[in-house]
Amino acid sequence: MNRFIVRSVMQSHLSHGRSISNGHVCSSAIVERSLELSGQHNVVTLVRFEWRRMMSSTPASVGNASSGREEKMENSVTEETKGKDSSALSYWGISRPKITRTDGTDWPWNCFMPWETYSAELSIDLKKRHVPKNFVDKFAFWTVKLLRLPTDIFFQRRYGSRAMMLETVAAVPGMVGGMLLHLKSLRKFQQSGGWIKALLEEAENERMHLMTMVELVKPKWYERLLVLTVQGVFFNAFFVLYMLSPKLAHRIVGYLEEEAIHSYTEYLKDIESGAIENVAAPAIAIDYWRLPKDARLKEVITVIRADEAHHRDVNHFASDIHFAGKELKAAPAPLGYH
């Protein structure tokens, strides 16, 4: 009976795989031989001993090697995680080359690059106005004047918050116009005359105005909620308007920029009078407009106002092209104006 039990145990382990070492098999054979020589009591003791050996973990040398490999793997994973946190490596092997400023320091911005920066054209005529000449012009002019009323009532002379709201709206038309011209170019297999890039450049410039104003104003929760509401309404309304009448859409934007120039001029007056503190310029504004390191708020508002004057001229120009019965591609786009 005991011989049968021993053989059953050995055959069971051998049938579940050949993972038991030769040493264990030989030991089992020794157990079977001991059954013939020593009697039942000794056999049971040796079988129990051998069973414990076979069911135990791997030998100490193998266990130490495994634990060593596990520690190395954990260390490598930790080092790899640290590397990903510090350099943000991509699975596809795409990484941005090291970019520096002109003084050799690291470029800190991901939202724009050094070759996208510029010095604003401050000599632009700020007093130029487009006089309404026909029904479309008058409709655009009075629409903008009407839209200004709730802004004046809500913000009063808080020109920082007013500018934040203004830039949220002003960054929409260029994106809408550029997008629709892009789709038109794809549908008709024709060039845009550079106007797609010009309008998207305008939208990006207005967005950078907003990023700068957010650093200065730190908008409250209800102002952020107002931005969401206004942007949602204005985007859809302007999209439909541009589809129906691009000349009216550009004329409205031209008049909006005229109002922006007026608002920033009043902003500067309050800074000069001391009503608004002339704080240090945000770092993002210094790098984007290539301002001096010690630039103040006054310099930032001055360059933003100059940008708005460029947008005014470009949108009135685009509207005039449409009024002449031509498409925008008929006239070269003013690229690089910001």
Side-chain angles (χ1 to χ4, degrees):
M1 182 67 179
N2 289 329
R3 180 189 296 272
F4 175 75
I5 293 174
V6 172
R7 287 180 177 175
S8 298
V9 170
M10 292 171 57
Q11 290 175 0
S12 174
H13 283 284
L14 290 174
S15 64
H16 281 79
R18 301 297 180 179
S19 60
I20 303 176
S21 63
N22 292 332
H24 289 168
V25 176
C26 293
S27 299
S28 300
I30 294 172
V31 171
E32 184 179 0
R33 180 63 177 168
S34 298
L35 180 62
E36 298 175 355
L37 299 176
S38 303
Q40 296 181 357
H41 179 73
N42 293 334
V43 169
V44 173
T45 302
L46 288 173
V47 168
R48 288 177 179 174
F49 173 73
E50 191 58 36
W51 175 261
R52 286 196 299 270
R53 286 198 59 188
M54 288 189 293
M55 294 301 293
S56 67
S57 60
T58 55
S61 59
V62 178
N64 293 335
S66 300
S67 61
R69 285 195 298 270
E70 291 176 357
E71 291 178 0
K72 289 181 180 179
M73 289 176 64
E74 290 177 358
N75 293 334
S76 63
V77 170
T78 303
E79 292 176 358
E80 183 179 356
T81 304
K82 291 180 178 178
K84 287 183 179 179
D85 292 340
S86 61
S87 60
L89 296 177
S90 170
Y91 174 81
W92 300 102
I94 300 173
S95 60
R96 191 183 76 176
K98 184 177 181 181
I99 302 174
T100 59
R101 295 188 180 98
T102 55
D103 59 3
T105 57
D106 290 339
W107 184 256
W109 312 107
N110 293 325
C111 54
F112 67 100
M113 295 294 106
W115 51 87
E116 297 170 338
T117 64
Y118 66 102
S119 297
E121 178 55 60
L122 301 180
S123 62
I124 192 169
D125 186 2
L126 299 174
K127 297 181 180 180
K128 188 189 299 184
R129 296 288 185 272
H130 182 275
V131 180
K133 300 176 182 178
N134 50 48
F135 174 77
V136 174
D137 286 353
K138 292 177 181 179
F139 180 82
F141 179 82
W142 289 110
T143 298
V144 173
K145 289 295 184 182
L146 183 63
L147 292 175
R148 184 189 173 99
L149 287 177
T151 305
D152 290 340
I153 295 172
F154 184 80
F155 291 107
Q156 299 294 324
R157 296 191 67 84
R158 293 185 293 120
Y159 287 108
S161 298
R162 178 197 291 261
M164 179 201 64
M165 176 60 66
L166 177 66
E167 299 301 346
T168 302
V169 172
V172 170
M175 181 59 66
V176 171
M179 176 184 65
L180 291 177
L181 286 179
H182 174 75
L183 296 176
K184 182 179 180 180
S185 176
L186 297 179
R187 289 195 309 271
K188 295 190 174 183
F189 311 106
Q190 64 184 18
Q191 298 294 334
S192 69
W195 279 94
I196 296 174
K197 186 174 181 180
L199 293 177
L200 294 180
E201 187 179 62
E202 176 185 317
E204 173 65 10
N205 182 242
E206 295 284 11
R207 189 184 68 84
M208 291 304 298
H209 292 179
L210 177 62
M211 296 298 101
T212 300
M213 297 312 302
V214 168
E215 291 291 325
L216 292 168
V217 175
K218 306 297 183 184
K220 301 177 177 61
W221 69 268
Y222 58 85
E223 292 175 333
R224 291 178 179 270
L225 181 61
L226 182 62
V227 165
L228 292 175
T229 304
V230 172
Q231 186 185 85
V233 173
F234 184 74
F235 175 87
N236 290 283
F238 192 83
F239 180 89
V240 174
L241 176 63
Y242 203 97
M243 291 283 290
L244 297 175
S245 178
K247 62 183 176 183
L248 176 59
H250 282 292
R251 190 67 80 200
I252 287 177
V253 176
Y255 285 129
L256 281 173
E257 300 297 354
E258 290 184 11
E259 293 299 325
I261 295 170
H262 174 73
S263 296
Y264 281 117
T265 299
E266 294 297 314
Y267 198 170
L268 284 171
K269 288 180 180 178
D270 281 0
I271 294 174
E272 292 171 352
S273 66
I276 297 177
E277 184 182 358
N278 190 22
V279 298
I284 190 172
I286 291 175
D287 283 331
Y288 183 68
W289 282 284
R290 301 176 188 172
L291 298 175
K293 297 298 182 182
D294 58 348
R296 314 294 293 182
L297 176 60
K298 181 179 178 180
E299 285 79 8
V300 174
I301 302 304
T302 300
V303 294
I304 291 178
R305 184 178 63 171
D307 289 347
E308 304 295 7
H310 283 291
H311 302 162
R312 171 204 64 192
D313 295 346
V314 170
N315 280 278
H316 281 315
F317 175 46
S319 184
D320 289 343
I321 295 172
H322 283 293
F323 268 106
K326 301 179 181 180
E327 295 186 0
L328 291 181
K329 64 176 184 177
L335 295 173
Y337 69 90
H338 288 288

